[in-house]
Structures are given as structure tokens and as C-alpha cells.
Amino acid sequence: SDAGSSVDEMEFNWDEYLEDTGATAAPHGSFKHVDTSLQNGFAPGMKLEVAVKSDQNTYWVATIITTCGQLLLLRYDGYGEDRKADFWCDIMTADLHPIGWCEQNKKILKVPEGIKDKIPDQEEFLQRVLKGACSAPANLLEGLHRGKNPLDLIAPGSRLELQNIRDSLEAWIVTVVENVGGRLKLRYEGLEDSDKFDQWLFYLDPFLHPVGWAAQHGYSLQPPSAIRSLKSEADWQEILKKVKEEEEESSVPTDLFKDKPVIGVHSFSEGMKLEAVDPMAPFVISPATVLKVFNDKYFMIEIDDLRADRPTSQSYVCHVNSAGIFPVQWSLKNGLNLSPPPGYPGQDFDWADYLKQCGAEAAPQSCFPSLTSDHGFKENMKLEAVNPVDPEEVCIATVTKLKDSYLWLQLEGSKKPVPDCIVSVESMNIFPVGWCETNGYQLRPPRKAIVNKQKKIAVVQPEKQILSSRTVHDGLKNQELNSSDSVVINGKYCCPKIYFNHRCFSGPYLNKGRIAELPQSVGPGNCVLVLKEVLTLLINAAYKPSRVLRELQLDEEAAWHGHGETLKAKYKGKSYRATVEVVRTADRVADFCRKTCIKLECCPNLFGPQMVLDKCSENCSVLTKTKYTHYYGKRKNKRIGRPPGGHSNLEVAMKKPNKRRKRRKHFFVHKKKRSSTSVDNTPAGSPQGSGAEEEDDQDESELSHSLAQDRDKRKRKLRTFSFSDDENKPPSPKDIKMEVAEKLQLDSNPLEWSVADVVRFLKSTDCAPLARIFLDQEIDGQALLLLTLPTVQECMDLKLGPAIKLCHHIERVKLAFYQQFAN
């Protein structure tokens, strides 16, 4: 049967699906085109001049800490590592300028009051901090493009030029019908009323260009042969004239394409033979021929067909870096099947005989780009991929095979089943898990969707925090937000890129060799997904993954400030899982990474949103495993003092290991029951040969004997919020069925309510204990009217019963607002 009803499609949840299938998501960093599309031109470390909050007539130099859509998290220079005064600025409205603007415009640079005593000599300080500094680009802070994500500039109605896939020396105008995260639905100019020839291409596709490209490079502007007969030559010329008249208002800035792959010079000749994958049907590898060479950049490939009555030619334009072209014998060397040309006599295809029969030569190896296996993809990983047969569809995909830089993908849930697709790891038709949801596009779920009916009403994106009216309303008109505010921009990705700084000290738990094999970075992306991927990589890079998982797991008695995620570890044939807390918003990522590093007793800069280029600020190169084992190994429960290099591990030193183990036992369970106590096979002299690891083995033995008991206790112990049991218990049917309350009469318009007014109202209801959440999150009347049951459940971490009870009162306010004040 088909993928099911639209209800089932809405209910699909990636986290549940990965959990159920036991699969992992392909790393975000492996999708370079998505990474590029998320960059807004600003980068951490850039400096700019910002109006001082307390005195708008003066300015001071600030450094970008992180970026999130059109928001920048800034810190005035002089605060050093102190993040308390960090603040968010909206590029569209804040008074921001490139370095040097104040001098040019006779404005005053003045040290803010908070750091005046730290900077006795302003001129000397500015000379020092600005030496070699990188200023934020002026064009991103001024003019029409100010604050806009580059992708937002490609709006429906924008025009581009698309090279003809049958003749690369020709191009024609296309209009953007839809822009989904940089994936563009394009329609040929002149075919406004027909979608028959529409195409989907990512904006960085080598064959897509800004208007004017063809004339600039000496290519002819002609409609492709497939549509040329639909109109007369006079009609096409009239269309071209109209496009040129409207060029200014519909064109896309040329600098948007600066990150496009550069097409190099090829060395193919006509008649050469090779192996190729037809991009229109990328399911098999077949013999092919270089049919035509256009110039030093483009040539045409034709899939071989020996039948006398063969159908239309399967030919297409290529360049030196085109995916899916291989030298002769590539399939044989990689143990892959080569599909013989239709009409080839016999079943066993032999290249030597075929070349002799055709009187052709094989294209030499030097014609082809070198392939790499360093891409991060592995078998059974999950991702999202375009269905080549129906480009409207984006499906769940599973990596079934890898060869060099090519993936074999099994598509799940497509309307019509298709064979495994062959795609390059650099294909712009593959996307990370969650890409469709983030960009509001329908992902085709598997035919037997793994859904949780009870969670149907609570399916929301993890990052969608409750925002105060300062960010929900007025388009972020305020220039500055506190760094603690939650930030989401139109549902877009908002976690910065997380770098693994391989040169930094890895500590006693992590294997330096495995750390060196980690990707240079992960993200940007959904905060929860990116951090979950980072932590999974760290767990797998440990000497004992189970030990690291234990260090990361959430204390049962700790207050939850983020999002609980289940992570797994495998060690000595056993599987472990634990609940780990990750943050959900960009402003907390840097602090989360630093605290996690300290928890794992490695350099605080080992991973985080800042790249360590030359020398680590922590001077961690002087540290050794031996020193750390001395401080944190057998004598760990004694207060030794601060270790070399200035790292503080006070929090770890003050913990009582035995008490911690007892408390955490309810969270940390391995799946397979042990038959006997395991023997620690850690090599002698290993950094892990410490008392801490002996504790680990004892804990494993302890846990295996109380597995059943723990499971029962864990069900009772787990809590998502610190309210009473009555507030958190699942509601009974009679609880959910509420009596209609007396009609609410409001004395004032809720749109004008302050946070205090909202709190006062809640305290007058039976949801009074929840009032403090509204106070903490600064929810005023405007924000109150935007709340729904899914957001209340997810963002306030409430169980269904209390959430329904709260939303009942919110709906009463909404109804009264519409009846009394809506007009």
C-alpha cells in the first residue's frame, strides 16, 4: 500500500524512527551544500562597532560570539571571557557598523561603563584589539541586503539562467516558483501556465547562473529544443525583451553564487569510452561514449545502446567534476555489476572485446577526478534524498553500500518503489535528517510509519522555545536582547557549527587517536540534533564508551534546563543507554560545550563553536594523561587542588562517587544481561588504568544484578518537571473532560497585559503553581495569546494533564479577547 494517510505522515518522528530501527543519522557536516546555504556572511570572531546601550550617542567595538539567522550574539571588547554582558542584536534594526565607521562619520568611540575600570588607556586598548582583526563586511550591514539570509534573496518570481543539459553552449531564463531551503523549483520563462517542464535544482548547481551570465561568457540565450516548438520565434524574442526590461527587479545578486563549485578544464576526446550512471535513472552503471566535446569545460556523454531500433538517445552534458562518470574497469575493480549495453550479444560483458569491436579507446585515468572515502557516511546511516524518478518527492533514505565517494541509497516510502540509487557524496540532492521539517517540506515517511499516537498533539520542533514578546512580536524591534533569551528565526537552523579542535588535550577518557579521526566540524543545524551527534562521536571516541556515557548522563536530582536525549554506547559486547541533557538554543551552546569538556576532564576548547587555529588559549599542550590520572584517578575523591593548565574540576572533586552511582543506577542500564562479571582487558599502562575505571567495572556488575528492579524504579523515578506528582501524573479520562467554566469577563485588553498581569491572572486559577514559569520566560499578554497545546507541552515540559488544564484557561482568555476587544 501507499505511504498512508496524511495524518500518518504528520506523525512521523525521526528520533523514534532511528530508535526503532537502531540506525544513526548521517553527520550534518557531510552535506557541504547545506552547510554553505546556512552561512549568512557573518562569522564568530568578526568585529564591528555597536551603539552602547546606556548611551546611544556613543559606540564601542564588539566581537561576534555566534550567529543565528539575522541575529548576532555580541560581546563588547574588554569583557574577556565574561559572558554575562553578552547580548543579541538584530542586524535589521540594531545600530551596527563595520570597523572604522565611527572615524569616518565623526562618531564617538567610548568605553562602556561596565568595563571602564578595566581599560585605563582607550587608544592603546583599541590599537591592540584591532590589530589584525577581521571586520564584519560593510555590505551585510548596509543597503538592501542588510540582515538578509542569502537564500531569502532567491524569492518566488526571481529569474536565473539555466544551461541546456543537451547543449551546454545554450542557456534560457528560468523563474523561481518555490525555494525550499535553497532547493529551487524552476520554470522556463514563457511557460507560466504549464508545470510540465519544471525542474528542481539546488541553487549552487553548476548549471545555474544569475541573469546575464550567458552574454558575459559568450553563450547563446535560446529556449531548449524540448519547448522551442511551443511558441514562435517572434514570441520567444518578445519574452526575452520583457525579461531584459524587468531585469533589475527580478534578478538575484551575483555574489550569492560565489560558493558555487568551480568547473575545471577536462581532457576528454570524442569517441572515448567510459563507465557512467545516467543522472535521469541512476540505478545502474553502464558503458558510455564521449559523444561530443563542446569546449575545454563541457562535453556530452551518451549511454551506449546497440539496438538498431533504439529509442531516443540517453545523452547529457558533463564537466570534469560531474558525478557518475568512471574509467573503464572501475566496476570490476570495485566488485560491482556493469550493465551491458542493450543489444550486446551474450551475458558476460568484456571491456577488451567491446573496445576492439567498437574500434574505440578507453578514456585514460587522468581524465577523471580523484575519488575520496573521507566523507563521514557509513552503511545503514539514514538521510533524506530526492527521488530521481519524481523530484517532487524527498524520501527517507538508507545507505546500503559505499564505494569511494559514491553511495547506494534505498529510498523508503516513495509512491512507486525504485531500485537503489547511486549518488555522489557531494550530490546536492541529499540532505541531513530533519532538513525537510526545518524547511517546511513534506518528507515521504516509510510505508509502515513508526508513530506514537499518544504524542500526536505534541509533535513540535525541539528548538521552538516559548519566546517572550520581545522576540515573538514587533519583528525583534528591540536592538538588544539578553544572551539568555531563546532564539528561533522562522524555524531555521540556529545551532552554530561545532568544531573539533584535534590539537587540544583529550583527557583521560578520550582516545586521542580516535579524536583525530573525528570530522573537523559538525553542523550548523538543529541544536538538539547537532549536539546529540557531537556527544555520540565523543562517546565512540572513548577508551571505554560506557564510562563516558556515565559521565555525560543527567543526574536524576538535577534541574532540567534543556532537552533530555537518549544516547547509547557499546562496550565489551554490551549495550548501554542513558538520558543526557542537551541545550536547545544557540546562545547556550558555547557554555554547554565548555562545561561538557570540563566534565570529561579534557581541554575546555576540545570542541565548541570556536575553532582553535594555532595555540589554544588554555595552554593545554603542556598537559599529559599521567598528570590527569594523578589528579582524577585513584585519588579522585580527595581535594588535590587545581590541575596544571588552569582547569577547574571542582564540581567533579566534590561529588561522592558511591552516592552518585547509587543515584544514577536508575538511569544507566545495559540491555544484555551478563552471565558473569567481566574482566577488564585494558592494556597495562593505559591511561584508563585508574581507580575510576575499577569503579566502572564494579558498577557494571552491580547494574546487571539489579536490572529488573531498576527498570521498575526508573519508571517511577523519571520526571520532566519539578512539580508535584499530582500535576505530572497522566490524566484520567474524567480529568481531561473539563466542565465549561463560567464565561470570563476581562477588565482590560490582554494584548496590553504585562508579564505581571499574566502572572496575576494565572494565580487566580487552579494553575497557580505554573505562574512562575510565565514569570521566568517573561510571557506577556501578546505571547500568551500565541500559546497552543503542543508548544505548552514541549516548551514547558508539562505532562498532558496539566497542559490541557492550562490551555483551557488560555482559551478562555482568547475567547474573551475576541468577544470584547477584537473589533
Side-chain angles (χ1 to χ4, degrees):
S1 64
D2 202 351
S5 68
S6 60
V7 175
D8 287 336
E9 290 176 0
M10 288 174 62
E11 289 179 312
F12 175 76
N13 182 289
W14 259 117
D15 285 338
E16 293 172 12
Y17 183 67
L18 292 173
E19 173 76 18
D20 191 84
T21 56
T24 57
H28 278 259
S30 296
F31 303 88
K32 294 181 176 59
H33 60 297
V34 177
D35 192 351
T36 301
S37 72
L38 298 172
Q39 296 170 6
N40 64 0
F42 294 97
M46 285 182 176
K47 294 186 182 293
L48 59 169
E49 295 174 355
V50 188
V52 177
K53 189 174 182 180
S54 57
D55 183 358
Q56 293 293 322
N57 295 320
T58 65
Y59 296 79
W60 190 242
V61 176
T63 300
I64 298 175
I65 304 301
T66 192
T67 66
C68 177
Q70 68 188 49
L71 298 187
L72 304 177
L73 181 62
L74 302 177
R75 181 182 303 164
Y76 285 124
D77 282 14
Y79 275 97
E81 294 297 314
D82 184 2
R83 63 183 295 271
K84 290 178 183 176
D86 290 3
F87 57 96
W88 288 99
C89 274
D90 180 358
I91 304 165
M92 296 293 289
T93 57
D95 197 357
L96 308 175
H97 305 280
I99 296 298
W101 180 86
C102 284
E103 185 178 356
Q104 294 170 6
N105 292 274
K106 305 291 189 294
K107 298 292 182 180
I108 302 169
L109 274 174
K110 183 180 177 183
V111 183
E113 288 295 328
I115 49 174
K116 208 168 185 180
D117 57 334
K118 296 182 180 180
I119 306 174
D121 187 336
Q122 176 176 313
E123 293 302 320
E124 184 274 332
F125 177 81
L126 287 175
Q127 286 183 3
R128 178 161 46 86
V129 298
L130 294 179
K131 185 178 180 181
C134 177
S135 172
N139 67 307
L140 298 177
L141 295 169
E142 301 162 356
L144 294 174
H145 299 167
R146 175 176 180 170
K148 287 191 176 180
N149 186 304
L151 286 187
D152 295 337
L153 301 177
I154 314 178
S158 300
R159 290 192 177 107
L160 298 164
E161 290 181 2
L162 177 62
Q163 280 178 269
N164 190 341
I165 197 168
R166 305 295 177 193
D167 184 349
S168 70
L169 301 184
E170 292 181 352
W172 187 240
I173 310 294
V174 287
T175 302
V176 177
V177 178
E178 192 175 352
N179 179 356
V180 181
R183 188 168 182 256
L184 309 178
K185 186 176 184 179
L186 304 169
R187 183 167 298 166
Y188 285 118
E189 192 69 32
L191 304 183
E192 288 78 8
D193 301 326
S194 172
D195 61 358
K196 182 179 178 182
F197 298 94
D198 286 1
Q199 298 183 54
W200 283 93
L201 288 176
F202 203 73
Y203 81 105
L204 295 173
D205 190 284
F207 286 86
L208 199 57
H209 310 280
V211 171
W213 175 88
Q216 186 179 351
H217 292 83
Y219 291 67
S220 63
L221 213 52
Q222 294 282 344
S225 56
I227 67 168
R228 199 171 298 172
S229 60
L230 299 177
K231 293 183 183 292
S232 67
E233 185 62 29
D235 288 339
W236 290 120
Q237 291 304 317
E238 188 64 30
I239 290 169
L240 203 54
K241 181 181 176 182
K242 178 188 172 188
V243 167
K244 289 180 178 178
E245 290 173 354
E246 300 173 354
E247 185 173 335
E248 277 193 27
E249 58 190 67
S250 64
S251 62
V252 174
T254 55
D255 61 353
L256 190 63
F257 301 93
K258 64 181 175 16
D259 296 314
K260 274 179 55 174
V262 177
I263 296 177
V265 175
H266 73 82
S267 53
F268 287 93
S269 301
E270 287 185 13
M272 283 182 173
K273 295 285 184 184
L274 65 158
E275 297 180 1
V277 175
D278 183 354
M280 302 299 132
F283 311 119
V284 296
I285 303 173
S286 309
T289 306
V290 178
L291 189 65
K292 184 177 181 180
V293 173
F294 295 103
N295 53 26
D296 61 354
K297 287 191 175 181
Y298 301 103
F299 55 96
M300 180 174 278
I301 293 271
E302 181 180 47
I303 304 296
D304 286 1
D305 189 336
L306 305 180
R307 293 173 295 183
D309 58 341
R310 67 178 183 175
T312 55
S313 168
Q314 292 175 273
S315 59
Y316 54 94
V317 173
C318 289
H319 51 83
V320 68
N321 291 318
S322 287
I325 57 174
F326 314 97
V328 162
Q329 304 285 14
W330 186 82
S331 297
L332 181 65
K333 290 176 183 176
N334 286 278
L336 300 169
N337 180 55
L338 182 71
S339 180
Y344 181 80
Q347 294 296 318
D348 297 326
F349 179 83
D350 182 80
W351 261 115
D353 291 344
Y354 186 60
L355 289 172
K356 187 175 180 181
Q357 173 188 335
C358 297
E361 64 170 327
Q365 179 73 46
S366 58
C367 290
F368 300 88
S370 58
L371 302 179
T372 176
S373 56
D374 182 23
H375 44 66
F377 291 100
K378 294 179 182 177
E379 283 189 14
N380 297 320
M381 279 184 170
K382 301 285 185 180
L383 58 145
E384 299 176 4
V386 174
N387 182 352
V389 176
D390 183 1
E392 290 273 349
E393 283 188 358
V394 180
C395 305
I396 291 171
T398 306
V399 179
T400 58
K401 187 171 20 182
L402 296 101
K403 293 293 178 185
D404 292 328
S405 53
Y406 286 85
L407 310 172
W408 274 251
L409 298 179
Q410 180 186 40
L411 302 185
E412 303 173 39
S414 55
K415 291 177 184 175
K416 294 180 181 179
V418 295
D420 285 9
C421 309
I422 305 170
V423 301
S424 164
V425 296
E426 295 182 351
S427 168
M428 296 185 192
N429 283 327
I430 58 176
F431 304 94
V433 161
W435 183 85
C436 278
E437 182 184 8
T438 299
N439 290 285
Y441 196 78
Q442 178 61 57
L443 174 70
R444 295 290 300 180
R447 284 184 169 73
K448 293 181 180 178
I450 296 163
V451 298
N452 188 332
K453 302 291 183 183
Q454 294 178 349
K455 291 187 179 179
K456 177 178 176 182
I457 57 172
V459 178
V460 295
Q461 292 184 22
E463 287 183 15
K464 289 185 178 176
Q465 295 276 67
I466 302 292
L467 304 185
S468 71
S469 62
R470 285 182 294 170
T471 49
V472 172
H473 305 286
D474 302 324
L476 287 166
K477 287 180 181 176
N478 293 333
Q479 293 183 5
E480 298 180 355
L481 307 174
N482 294 328
S483 62
S484 59
D485 285 339
S486 306
V487 182
V488 170
I489 302 298
N490 300 328
K492 299 285 185 184
Y493 288 129
C494 79
C495 181
K497 186 181 291 187
I498 304 297
Y499 295 97
F500 288 105
N501 297 308
H502 300 122
R503 295 182 183 178
C504 287
F505 178 68
S506 57
Y509 299 136
L510 304 177
N511 185 317
K512 180 139 184 93
R514 293 178 193 164
I515 290 289
E517 294 172 359
L518 296 181
Q520 187 179 23
S521 63
V522 173
N526 175 298
C527 275
V528 172
L529 293 179
V530 169
L531 294 177
K532 186 176 179 181
E533 182 181 333
V534 167
L535 295 180
T536 299
L537 289 170
L538 287 173
I539 290 168
N540 293 335
Y543 289 103
K544 289 189 175 183
S546 58
R547 185 74 173 104
V548 169
L549 183 59
R550 163 166 309 173
E551 291 299 316
L552 295 175
Q553 73 180 356
L554 182 70
D555 280 330
E556 181 184 347
E557 296 174 4
W560 285 40
H561 301 292
H563 180 79
E565 278 292 322
T566 300
L567 296 185
K568 301 174 185 176
K570 288 188 177 180
Y571 181 60
K572 292 186 178 180
K574 291 179 288 293
S575 296
Y576 301 83
R577 67 175 63 200
T579 301
V580 175
E581 183 184 16
V582 294
V583 296
R584 293 188 277 192
T585 53
D587 55 299
R588 299 175 60 195
V589 167
D591 189 53
F592 172 82
C593 292
R594 188 174 182 87
K595 286 181 177 177
T596 304
C597 286
I598 292 172
K599 190 181 290 187
L600 296 179
E601 299 172 18
C602 53
C603 173
N605 293 331
L606 181 66
F607 66 93
Q610 292 211 357
M611 183 190 294
V612 175
L613 297 175
D614 298 315
K615 189 176 179 182
C616 174
S617 60
E618 298 287 332
N619 194 27
C620 65
S621 59
V622 303
L623 301 173
T624 66
K625 302 270 189 183
T626 308
K627 290 178 182 177
Y628 261 72
T629 304
H630 171 71
Y631 282 99
Y632 300 107
K634 296 178 181 179
R635 302 172 60 187
K636 191 171 181 178
N637 61 332
K638 296 182 181 180
R639 178 75 180 276
I640 304 297
R642 186 167 293 193
H647 300 285
S648 172
N649 201 44
L650 184 61
E651 184 181 344
V652 175
M654 292 176 67
K655 289 183 179 178
K656 296 180 180 179
N658 291 335
K659 184 177 180 182
R660 182 190 63 192
R661 284 206 308 275
K662 184 176 180 181
R663 200 170 63 234
R664 289 188 175 186
K665 196 164 31 173
H666 306 302
F667 281 82
F668 189 81
V669 182
H670 59 71
K671 288 183 177 178
K672 299 181 182 178
K673 188 172 182 180
R674 308 169 56 120
S675 56
S676 61
T677 304
S678 66
V679 178
D680 189 351
N681 294 321
T682 306
S686 162
Q688 298 306 107
S690 67
E693 296 312 316
E694 291 167 13
E695 287 178 6
D696 190 41
D697 285 341
Q698 290 169 11
D699 291 343
E700 291 172 12
S701 177
E702 224 180 287
L703 288 167
S704 65
H705 293 301
S706 58
L707 183 60
Q709 182 183 3
D710 287 344
R711 192 179 296 116
D712 294 336
K713 287 183 180 179
R714 194 166 65 253
K715 289 178 181 176
R716 297 195 300 270
K717 290 278 187 177
L718 282 174
R719 290 288 181 269
T720 58
F721 213 85
S722 57
F723 292 127
S724 68
D725 288 347
D726 289 340
E727 289 169 337
N728 281 303
K729 69 180 182 181
S732 64
K734 66 179 182 180
D735 292 331
I736 296 176
K737 186 178 179 181
M738 289 188 174
E739 296 295 329
V740 178
E742 184 182 348
K743 185 177 178 182
L744 186 65
Q745 282 292 328
L746 300 177
D747 296 329
S748 59
N749 190 336
L751 281 177
E752 300 170 358
W753 283 4
S754 65
V755 176
D757 293 331
V758 172
V759 170
R760 194 176 301 113
F761 166 74
L762 282 173
K763 285 185 175 179
S764 69
T765 70
D766 55 356
C767 289
L770 304 180
R772 64 176 183 180
I773 305 177
F774 286 71
L775 184 62
D776 292 342
Q777 299 203 28
E778 298 181 279
I779 298 172
D780 64 5
Q782 295 181 31
L784 179 75
L785 294 177
L786 291 176
L787 297 182
T788 61
L789 181 57
T791 49
V792 162
Q793 269 198 287
E794 175 67 23
C795 303
M796 293 187 177
D797 282 335
L798 293 180
K799 295 288 187 178
L800 185 58
I804 290 177
K805 190 186 295 184
L806 174 61
C807 284
H808 170 69
H809 294 296
I810 295 172
E811 291 304 317
R812 291 176 64 209
V813 175
K814 289 181 182 178
L815 180 61
F817 164 71
Y818 288 126
Q819 291 177 339
Q820 296 179 236
F821 302 101
N823 294 327

